[in-house]
Amino acid sequence: MTPSRMRSAVIAAIYLLFFVLLHSSSAFGVNAPMKVIVTGAAGRTGKLVFSCLIEDPRFQAVGLVRTEKSAKKLVKTTKCGLDHVIVSDVTELFTENGNGIPKGLDGAEAIVICTSAVPAISKRSVVKAMLKIPFNVVRGKKAFNFRDLRFLYKPGQYPEKVDFEGQIAQIDLAKKLGMRQVVIVSSMGGTDPSNFLNSIGKDKDGNGNGDILLWKRKAEKYLIESDLEYTIIHPGGLRKEATAPEELVLDIDDKLLKNEKRSISREDVAQLCLAALTVGRGKRVSFDCIAREVEEGKTVKSAEEALTEFLETGKTADYSL
Ligand code: NAP
């Protein structure tokens, strides 16, 4: 072989090597990180899911938040770059006034939905409850009755809009972007229309914009009727991480509501979302979860182990209930 032919062969071999490295990194055992969209990423659970994902080299996270203010909050708390955050109101995604698919979401393989309508305390109800204090004291009753407080949703940001229409829009977004998997952080209690949470946003006569659990469940039904892979997580009451060791308990159809303690930390829920993106891939499952205190020194299963064990049972929520 002449020296020039030799040089051409070497150059061709180098090009080939670069091509293979670029297009087939998995052939060398290096998997490209999975791009995941986290919505409600500035919320209390969404922020934890987003933080876990940006610290994990297996994932490339994009946070979707409702406002510029939430975007700044997320950048500040997680120290992520602004390019990891997209501002979009999920109730406006595919409406007439909406801008359609936000830029920067192409190539995402999964979406973790952590959005939710957020009730705020009615100031008027606070004033009313305060004015009642002297009368309650005179009558020997509890001075401040928390039951007098009312919680309301902001106009256009009530459960039917955010937890139903907004979630449908996010599921449609997943379909339009060709994603495979949807993970939803929902809530336990969806089988019971008389659950207290459904009364938030309604007046004494039951009028108003409430029924958060019912709207969430309706959106979940839309998802399970699709061809997408999904993990729907119904946590019990959300709280901070416990100081004592805890184990995850997973079940279905609100059976865990019978427990006296039925809460779970947002950290545990975030870990279950990550588990959904790994061991839950390719699955279609919906379950409830709480955390139970265990004695010091007991080995506690990780979220991935707990979800793997649960998946082996073949159980999933019954949406005909
Ligand atoms: P959270 O802090 O209330 O966060 C909800 C997030 O949704 C907020 O960041 C909010 O954005 C975002 N959001 C609301 N409307 C939106 C819209 N139209 N477009 C885009 N984003 C929107 O949530 P959390 O308390 O961690 O709860 C996470 C999930 O668990 C929710 O589905 C909740 O219902 C459920 N859950 C809660 C409890 C509990 O005890 N709280 C119990 C069981 C289940 P902004 O920050 O911009 O307002």
Side-chain angles (χ1 to χ4, degrees):
M1 195 184 281
T2 61
S4 69
R5 279 212 169 158
M6 178 87 90
R7 206 179 312 122
S8 308
V10 169
I11 290 168
I14 290 170
Y15 269 116
L16 189 67
L17 187 65
F18 267 118
F19 182 83
V20 174
L21 274 172
L22 264 177
H23 296 274
S24 176
S25 53
S26 57
F28 292 83
V30 188
N31 283 316
M34 175 184 180
K35 184 165 174 180
V36 180
I37 302 167
V38 182
T39 67
R44 286 161 293 177
T45 307
K47 184 177 61 191
L48 296 172
V49 177
F50 181 76
S51 302
C52 292
L53 291 176
I54 54 173
E55 281 163 17
D56 190 326
R58 293 174 296 175
F59 302 102
Q60 184 199 342
V62 179
L64 199 134
V65 298
R66 189 165 58 93
T67 58
E68 294 285 348
K69 195 175 156 199
S70 300
K72 282 183 192 145
K73 194 171 96 182
L74 186 63
V75 169
K76 198 173 166 194
T77 50
T78 64
K79 311 268 182 285
C80 72
L82 245 183
D83 54 327
H84 283 272
V85 186
I86 288 163
V87 177
S88 178
D89 185 322
V90 297
T91 63
E92 288 173 6
L93 270 176
F94 301 117
T95 59
E96 259 178 47
N97 305 326
N99 299 322
I101 298 177
K103 288 196 176 81
L105 302 181
D106 287 341
E109 291 177 62
I111 182 167
V112 182
I113 300 177
C114 298
T115 49
S116 179
V118 186
I121 198 160
S122 143
K123 285 180 190 142
R124 190 188 285 188
S125 74
V126 178
V127 174
K128 271 189 177 173
M130 302 270 272
L131 291 174
K132 275 187 178 178
I133 291 177
F135 299 99
N136 289 341
V137 172
V138 170
R139 287 181 194 147
K141 288 184 179 174
K142 206 162 55 172
F144 192 88
N145 191 351
F146 284 94
R147 285 180 182 271
D148 288 336
L149 298 180
R150 273 196 73 201
F151 291 85
L152 297 169
Y153 297 100
K154 284 191 187 138
Q157 296 289 325
Y158 47 88
E160 183 180 355
K161 287 281 164 209
V162 180
D163 298 277
F164 179 60
E165 291 174 19
Q167 283 203 19
I168 299 283
Q170 293 177 74
I171 295 161
D172 287 343
L173 177 72
K175 291 179 187 168
K176 286 180 204 263
L177 287 171
M179 287 183 225
R180 273 172 54 186
Q181 193 185 13
V182 176
V183 179
I184 299 186
V185 178
S186 180
S187 178
M188 221 153 75
T191 61
D192 178 14
S194 65
N195 187 297
F196 161 75
L197 294 174
N198 288 322
S199 70
I200 295 176
K202 292 187 193 175
D203 62 20
K204 278 182 193 154
D205 302 320
N207 300 316
N209 293 306
D211 290 329
I212 188 161
L213 298 182
L214 299 182
W215 288 117
K216 280 182 190 287
R217 193 165 174 86
K218 224 173 153 186
E220 291 166 29
K221 282 186 184 163
Y222 181 77
L223 175 60
I224 65 169
E225 282 161 12
S226 75
D227 294 331
L228 292 158
E229 297 165 10
Y230 60 82
T231 305
I232 301 169
I233 304 173
H234 297 137
L238 295 179
R239 55 165 164 79
K240 284 186 183 157
E241 209 163 10
T243 42
E246 290 185 318
E247 67 182 1
L248 291 169
V249 185
L250 311 188
D251 209 334
I252 53 165
D253 300 337
D254 287 339
K255 288 181 193 138
L256 296 174
L257 283 178
K258 291 189 193 102
N259 288 270
E260 198 188 327
K261 285 188 182 171
R262 44 192 193 229
S263 62
I264 181 167
S265 71
R266 288 186 167 86
E267 284 78 5
D268 278 343
V269 174
Q271 287 305 319
L272 278 168
C273 289
L274 254 73
L277 294 171
T278 54
V279 297
R281 274 197 103 177
K283 304 283 192 282
R284 291 163 61 84
V285 66
S286 172
F287 61 87
D288 309 339
C289 57
I290 59 170
R292 184 166 54 198
E293 228 173 84
V294 292
E295 63 270 23
E296 205 72 49
K298 186 180 171 190
T299 314
V300 175
K301 289 187 193 84
S302 68
E304 280 195 0
E305 288 165 339
L307 182 56
T308 304
E309 197 177 277
F310 180 78
L311 288 168
E312 281 163 7
T313 66
K315 286 201 254 179
T316 188
D318 177 358
Y319 278 86
S320 68
L321 294 178

